[in-house]
Amino acid sequence: MAVRPGNDSPPVASTLQQQARDADNQVESTRLTALLQPTVEQHGLFLEAVEIKSAGSERTVNVVVDLPEDQTGSVNLDLISDVAHDVSLAMDADPHDHGRPYSLEVSSPGVSRPLTEPRHWRRNVGRMVTVRQLKGDDITGRLLEVSGDSVRLTPQIPVKKGMKPKTGDPLTLPLAGIRKGTVQVEFAHLDDTHPDESPLDDSGDEGTFDDSRPTTTTPTASEN
């Protein structure tokens, strides 16, 4: 049976259109980051990212905020709601907005966020993390401290099931040799709970505010 080449591949025109939309979204994301950063900082928060996704004529703008790296805990929902309100006003007043409908989401990163930046590591000192190295085996251990260009942790030594976990001597790993890190959820470890937050779970975002906006008119805010 003859097989026509390219049957399972998307049309070239469709692929090019998607690439063009992705490029436009990246440019718009960079622009909105500069626009919204002062608004987020007024609430004492750090603007982690502005992510834009398009679906037809509509778009979703996801603004990710976090506490400064010298603070522990998570961003509470009341603060996220306040930030979302002011971000919405800033976007309404944006003189360069092209008027396309959008849905605004304001959230904070959960423990599932990969640790890829130095500030991510500093925000998670004291927690159990798994380090994926560029070269060498993955290492799981307690994150002790983060210096300018390295992290220090106490590695967890694998043991047989049912045995008490063992720890090795502290290790110092250069950040340049780490591909990424991930936080390991510890439901039973009391030290993993910061003084101002509840025990960790793996639910993803610590808080999310969703403001569906079919027009550019500011709606009444509602918290999910």
Side-chain angles (χ1 to χ4, degrees):
M1 177 187 299
V3 178
R4 295 180 180 179
N7 283 350
D8 295 331
S9 301
V12 175
S14 177
T15 301
L16 293 177
Q17 289 175 355
Q18 183 60 49
Q19 291 176 346
R21 283 194 295 267
D22 291 343
D24 289 343
N25 286 342
Q26 184 59 49
V27 172
E28 181 69 356
S29 173
T30 301
R31 189 186 72 81
L32 286 178
T33 298
L35 174 72
L36 300 176
Q37 184 171 348
T39 299
V40 172
E41 290 180 347
Q42 287 177 359
H43 291 271
L45 297 177
F46 180 85
L47 180 55
E48 184 77 26
V50 176
E51 302 167 345
I52 300 176
K53 295 182 180 180
S54 298
S57 61
E58 298 184 356
R59 56 179 174 153
T60 298
V61 180
N62 184 17
V63 178
V64 184
V65 300
D66 198 6
L67 291 174
E69 61 185 50
D70 60 350
Q71 296 185 28
T72 60
S74 59
V75 187
N76 64 63
L77 289 176
D78 288 338
L79 183 53
I80 285 181
S81 179
D82 292 341
V83 173
H85 176 266
D86 289 348
V87 165
S88 177
L89 293 178
M91 292 184 66
D92 280 348
D94 181 7
H96 301 291
D97 181 62
H98 43 54
R100 285 176 55 195
Y102 67 90
S103 175
L104 173 63
E105 297 178 357
V106 177
S107 62
S108 63
V111 295
S112 59
R113 171 186 59 183
L115 309 178
T116 57
E117 302 290 338
R119 69 174 307 273
H120 298 163
W121 292 93
R122 287 190 284 266
R123 286 277 286 123
N124 287 281
V125 169
R127 289 174 167 167
M128 187 70 71
V129 299
T130 293
V131 178
R132 177 166 295 180
Q133 303 184 91
L134 292 174
K135 296 181 180 180
D137 297 332
D138 295 351
I139 300 174
T140 296
R142 182 84 48 197
L143 183 59
L144 301 176
E145 61 178 331
V146 181
S147 65
D149 58 0
S150 64
V151 299
R152 187 171 177 82
L153 57 83
T154 302
Q156 188 177 61
I157 300 175
V159 296
K160 294 182 179 180
K161 186 176 181 180
M163 294 181 62
K164 185 178 180 179
K166 296 183 180 180
T167 57
D169 295 330
L171 296 176
T172 298
L173 304 175
L175 286 169
I178 298 175
R179 187 187 308 277
K180 72 172 183 179
T182 52
V183 175
Q184 299 300 307
V185 179
E186 299 178 89
F187 292 102
H189 199 290
L190 297 179
D191 292 342
D192 197 44
T193 302
H194 290 291
D196 55 348
E197 67 175 326
S198 58
L200 293 174
D201 58 35
D202 57 357
S203 58
D205 289 344
E206 294 168 349
T208 300
F209 179 99
D210 187 356
D211 182 6
S212 297
R213 304 170 55 80
T215 68
T216 56
T217 302
T218 304
T220 302
S222 61
E223 184 178 318
N224 290 341

